[in-house]
Amino acid sequence: MNFLEERIVKDGVVKPGNVLKVDTFLNHQMDIDLIDQMGAEFKRRFGDAPITKILTIEASGIGIACLVARHFHVPVVFAKKSKSINLDGEMYVAEVESFTHKCKNQIIVSKKVLKPEDHVLIIDDFLANGCALQGLLSIVTESGASVEGIGIAIEKGFQPGGRMIRNLGYHLESLAIVDGMNDETGEITFRPQEA
Protein backbone atom coordinates (compact mmCIF):
# COMPACT_ATOMS: atom_id res chain seq x y z
CA MET A 1 0.00 0.00 0.00
CA ASN A 2 1.45 3.39 -0.97
CA PHE A 3 1.36 6.61 1.08
CA LEU A 4 -1.85 7.93 -0.50
CA GLU A 5 -3.68 4.62 -0.20
CA GLU A 6 -2.70 4.47 3.48
CA ARG A 7 -4.09 7.97 4.04
CA ILE A 8 -7.32 7.12 2.23
CA VAL A 9 -7.79 4.05 4.44
CA LYS A 10 -7.03 6.10 7.56
CA ASP A 11 -9.09 9.24 6.86
CA GLY A 12 -11.30 8.60 3.81
CA VAL A 13 -15.02 7.98 4.25
CA VAL A 14 -17.08 5.80 1.91
CA LYS A 15 -20.60 7.12 1.30
CA PRO A 16 -23.53 5.58 -0.60
CA GLY A 17 -23.51 6.12 -4.36
CA ASN A 18 -19.81 5.31 -4.86
CA VAL A 19 -18.71 8.51 -3.14
CA LEU A 20 -15.31 8.61 -1.45
CA LYS A 21 -14.94 11.60 0.86
CA VAL A 22 -11.35 12.81 1.25
CA ASP A 23 -12.25 16.32 2.31
CA THR A 24 -10.23 16.27 5.55
CA PHE A 25 -6.91 15.96 3.73
CA LEU A 26 -7.26 16.46 -0.02
CA ASN A 27 -10.06 18.58 -1.42
CA HIS A 28 -11.47 20.78 1.34
CA GLN A 29 -8.89 20.81 4.11
CA MET A 30 -5.56 20.11 2.42
CA ASP A 31 -2.59 18.30 3.97
CA ILE A 32 0.20 20.21 2.25
CA ASP A 33 2.93 17.74 3.23
CA LEU A 34 0.89 14.89 1.71
CA ILE A 35 0.16 16.87 -1.44
CA ASP A 36 3.82 17.87 -1.74
CA GLN A 37 4.69 14.16 -1.54
CA MET A 38 2.16 13.59 -4.34
CA GLY A 39 3.89 16.33 -6.36
CA ALA A 40 7.23 14.60 -5.91
CA GLU A 41 5.71 11.29 -7.01
CA PHE A 42 4.21 12.84 -10.16
CA LYS A 43 7.62 14.39 -10.89
CA ARG A 44 9.16 10.92 -10.57
CA ARG A 45 6.57 9.42 -12.92
CA PHE A 46 6.58 12.19 -15.54
CA GLY A 47 10.06 13.67 -15.02
CA ASP A 48 11.35 12.58 -18.43
CA ALA A 49 8.66 14.56 -20.28
CA PRO A 50 9.37 18.16 -21.38
CA ILE A 51 6.54 19.68 -19.28
CA THR A 52 5.99 23.44 -19.73
CA LYS A 53 2.52 23.79 -18.12
CA ILE A 54 0.40 22.01 -15.54
CA LEU A 55 -3.31 22.12 -16.45
CA THR A 56 -6.20 21.40 -14.09
CA ILE A 57 -9.82 22.35 -13.55
CA GLU A 58 -11.21 24.46 -10.73
CA ALA A 59 -11.54 24.01 -7.87
CA SER A 60 -10.31 20.78 -6.26
CA GLY A 61 -7.44 20.20 -8.67
CA ILE A 62 -5.79 23.58 -8.13
CA GLY A 63 -4.01 22.86 -4.84
CA ILE A 64 -2.62 19.56 -6.09
CA ALA A 65 -1.58 21.11 -9.41
CA CYS A 66 0.29 23.91 -7.62
CA LEU A 67 2.43 21.50 -5.63
CA VAL A 68 3.06 19.37 -8.71
CA ALA A 69 4.12 22.52 -10.58
CA ARG A 70 6.54 23.37 -7.78
CA HIS A 71 8.42 20.15 -8.55
CA PHE A 72 8.45 20.84 -12.31
CA HIS A 73 9.17 24.60 -11.91
CA VAL A 74 6.44 25.51 -14.42
CA PRO A 75 3.20 27.54 -14.25
CA VAL A 76 -0.25 26.17 -13.43
CA VAL A 77 -3.21 26.93 -15.68
CA PHE A 78 -6.66 26.09 -14.39
CA ALA A 79 -9.79 25.89 -16.45
CA LYS A 80 -12.45 28.16 -15.00
CA LYS A 81 -16.04 27.00 -14.67
CA SER A 82 -17.53 30.41 -15.30
CA LYS A 83 -16.58 33.48 -17.26
CA SER A 84 -15.54 36.42 -15.13
CA ILE A 85 -14.59 40.01 -15.80
CA ASN A 86 -10.95 38.99 -15.29
CA LEU A 87 -11.07 36.83 -18.44
CA ASP A 88 -10.82 38.74 -21.67
CA GLY A 89 -9.78 38.00 -25.24
CA GLU A 90 -10.16 34.70 -27.05
CA MET A 91 -10.98 31.55 -25.10
CA TYR A 92 -10.93 27.80 -25.45
CA VAL A 93 -14.25 26.40 -24.21
CA ALA A 94 -15.42 22.84 -23.52
CA GLU A 95 -18.49 21.40 -21.81
CA VAL A 96 -18.00 18.93 -18.96
CA GLU A 97 -20.36 17.00 -16.72
CA SER A 98 -19.45 16.70 -13.03
CA PHE A 99 -19.87 13.29 -11.36
CA THR A 100 -19.79 14.94 -7.91
CA HIS A 101 -22.11 17.87 -8.59
CA LYS A 102 -24.38 16.18 -11.16
CA CYS A 103 -24.37 19.19 -13.45
CA LYS A 104 -22.83 20.40 -16.71
CA ASN A 105 -20.39 23.28 -16.82
CA GLN A 106 -18.54 25.07 -19.54
CA ILE A 107 -14.85 25.25 -18.76
CA ILE A 108 -12.80 28.12 -20.09
CA VAL A 109 -9.08 28.70 -20.67
CA SER A 110 -7.68 31.90 -22.14
CA LYS A 111 -5.74 31.48 -25.38
CA LYS A 112 -3.09 33.75 -23.82
CA VAL A 113 -2.02 31.05 -21.34
CA LEU A 114 -2.09 27.89 -23.46
CA LYS A 115 -0.04 27.95 -26.67
CA PRO A 116 0.71 25.43 -29.44
CA GLU A 117 4.31 25.10 -28.21
CA ASP A 118 3.23 24.00 -24.70
CA HIS A 119 3.81 20.49 -23.35
CA VAL A 120 1.04 19.88 -20.83
CA LEU A 121 0.72 17.64 -17.79
CA ILE A 122 -2.95 17.44 -16.75
CA ILE A 123 -3.51 17.00 -12.99
CA ASP A 124 -6.77 16.35 -11.13
CA ASP A 125 -7.92 15.00 -7.78
CA PHE A 126 -10.41 12.36 -9.01
CA LEU A 127 -11.09 10.36 -12.14
CA ALA A 128 -14.48 8.63 -12.30
CA ASN A 129 -16.24 8.78 -15.67
CA GLY A 130 -13.61 10.94 -17.34
CA CYS A 131 -15.85 13.86 -18.31
CA ALA A 132 -13.63 16.57 -16.84
CA LEU A 133 -10.56 15.01 -18.44
CA GLN A 134 -12.27 14.85 -21.84
CA GLY A 135 -13.01 18.57 -21.57
CA LEU A 136 -9.41 19.39 -20.64
CA LEU A 137 -8.09 17.15 -23.43
CA SER A 138 -10.31 18.88 -25.98
CA ILE A 139 -9.01 22.28 -24.86
CA VAL A 140 -5.38 21.13 -25.18
CA THR A 141 -6.13 19.65 -28.62
CA GLU A 142 -7.82 22.87 -29.74
CA SER A 143 -4.83 24.90 -28.54
CA GLY A 144 -2.41 22.81 -30.58
CA ALA A 145 -0.37 22.00 -27.44
CA SER A 146 0.65 18.42 -26.65
CA VAL A 147 -0.48 16.31 -23.73
CA GLU A 148 2.60 14.72 -22.16
CA GLY A 149 0.66 12.92 -19.45
CA ILE A 150 -2.22 12.88 -17.03
CA GLY A 151 -1.74 12.59 -13.26
CA ILE A 152 -4.69 11.68 -11.04
CA ALA A 153 -4.67 11.48 -7.26
CA ILE A 154 -7.54 8.97 -6.92
CA GLU A 155 -9.02 6.96 -9.77
CA LYS A 156 -12.23 5.01 -9.33
CA GLY A 157 -11.12 1.94 -11.27
CA PHE A 158 -14.62 0.46 -11.27
CA GLN A 159 -15.90 3.40 -13.36
CA PRO A 160 -15.07 3.76 -17.06
CA GLY A 161 -12.96 6.95 -17.13
CA GLY A 162 -9.50 5.48 -16.64
CA ARG A 163 -9.98 2.68 -19.14
CA MET A 164 -11.39 5.09 -21.73
CA ILE A 165 -8.54 7.60 -21.37
CA ARG A 166 -5.87 4.87 -21.51
CA ASN A 167 -7.57 3.38 -24.60
CA LEU A 168 -7.15 6.77 -26.29
CA GLY A 169 -3.39 6.29 -25.87
CA TYR A 170 -2.65 8.82 -23.14
CA HIS A 171 -0.02 8.22 -20.45
CA LEU A 172 -2.28 8.18 -17.38
CA GLU A 173 -0.85 7.66 -13.90
CA SER A 174 -3.10 7.44 -10.83
CA LEU A 175 -1.54 7.42 -7.37
CA ALA A 176 -4.40 5.35 -5.94
CA ILE A 177 -6.81 3.24 -7.98
CA VAL A 178 -9.90 2.20 -6.03
CA ASP A 179 -11.34 -1.07 -7.38
CA GLY A 180 -14.17 -1.30 -4.87
CA MET A 181 -15.83 0.43 -1.93
CA ASN A 182 -18.39 -0.76 0.59
CA ASP A 183 -20.39 2.03 2.22
CA GLU A 184 -21.71 -0.34 4.91
CA THR A 185 -18.33 -1.58 6.14
CA GLY A 186 -16.20 1.34 4.94
CA GLU A 187 -13.87 -1.15 3.23
CA ILE A 188 -11.85 0.13 0.26
CA THR A 189 -10.09 -2.19 -2.18
CA PHE A 190 -7.14 -0.83 -4.17
CA ARG A 191 -5.76 -2.11 -7.47
CA PRO A 192 -2.19 -3.32 -7.01
CA GLN A 193 0.35 -1.09 -8.79
CA GLU A 194 4.04 -1.31 -9.48
CA ALA A 195 6.17 0.58 -6.96
Side-chain angles (χ1 to χ4, degrees), residues 161-182:
R163 184 175 57 255
M164 178 189 61
I165 297 297
R166 287 181 183 93
N167 286 343
L168 292 172
Y170 291 102
H171 178 193
L172 169 61
E173 295 275 346
S174 297
L175 300 185
I177 302 175
V178 176
D179 268 343
M181 301 187 295
N182 184 322

Side-chain angles (χ1 to χ4, degrees), residues 91-111:
M91 308 288 166
Y92 302 113
V93 179
E95 187 169 272
V96 300
E97 188 172 348
S98 169
F99 172 82
T100 309
H101 301 290
K102 308 285 188 236
C103 65
K104 289 185 178 178
N105 292 300
Q106 281 196 327
I107 59 169
I108 304 161
V109 173
S110 168
K111 290 186 177 184

Side-chain angles (χ1 to χ4, degrees), residues 18-36:
N18 288 326
V19 174
L20 176 59
K21 285 182 56 90
V22 291
D23 59 341
T24 61
F25 61 95
L26 195 62
N27 59 14
H28 187 41
Q29 175 174 271
M30 298 168 62
D31 180 331
I32 297 305
D33 290 337
L34 175 75
I35 296 170
D36 190 49

Side-chain angles (χ1 to χ4, degrees), residues 119-133:
H119 295 267
V120 177
L121 174 59
I122 296 173
I123 296 290
D124 208 358
D125 61 340
F126 271 96
L127 171 55
N129 293 319
C131 298
L133 268 185

Side-chain angles (χ1 to χ4, degrees), residues 20-142:
L20 176 59
K21 285 182 56 90
V22 291
D23 59 341
T24 61
F25 61 95
L26 195 62
N27 59 14
H28 187 41
Q29 175 174 271
M30 298 168 62
D31 180 331
I32 297 305
D33 290 337
L34 175 75
I35 296 170
D36 190 49
Q37 190 176 1
M38 291 165 57
E41 181 60 19
F42 283 129
K43 173 65 172 171
R44 186 184 73 77
R45 294 184 187 201
F46 295 104
D48 292 340
I51 307 297
T52 61
K53 297 270 171 75
I54 305 295
L55 176 65
T56 192
I57 189 167
E58 76 178 354
S60 304
I62 295 173
I64 299 167
C66 286
L67 287 165
V68 173
R70 179 178 142 334
H71 288 272
F72 282 91
H73 305 285
V74 298
V76 172
V77 174
F78 65 90
K80 294 184 174 243
K81 290 183 181 171
S82 60
K83 192 162 170 106
S84 70
I85 59 171
N86 295 337
L87 281 177
D88 59 357
E90 295 184 59
M91 308 288 166
Y92 302 113
V93 179
E95 187 169 272
V96 300
E97 188 172 348
S98 169
F99 172 82
T100 309
H101 301 290
K102 308 285 188 236
C103 65
K104 289 185 178 178
N105 292 300
Q106 281 196 327
I107 59 169
I108 304 161
V109 173
S110 168
K111 290 186 177 184
K112 290 185 279 191
V113 299
L114 196 57
K115 305 283 187 186
E117 61 270 18
D118 279 318
H119 295 267
V120 177
L121 174 59
I122 296 173
I123 296 290
D124 208 358
D125 61 340
F126 271 96
L127 171 55
N129 293 319
C131 298
L133 268 185
Q134 287 180 46
L136 291 172
L137 288 166
S138 76
I139 283 175
V140 176
T141 300
E142 189 182 347

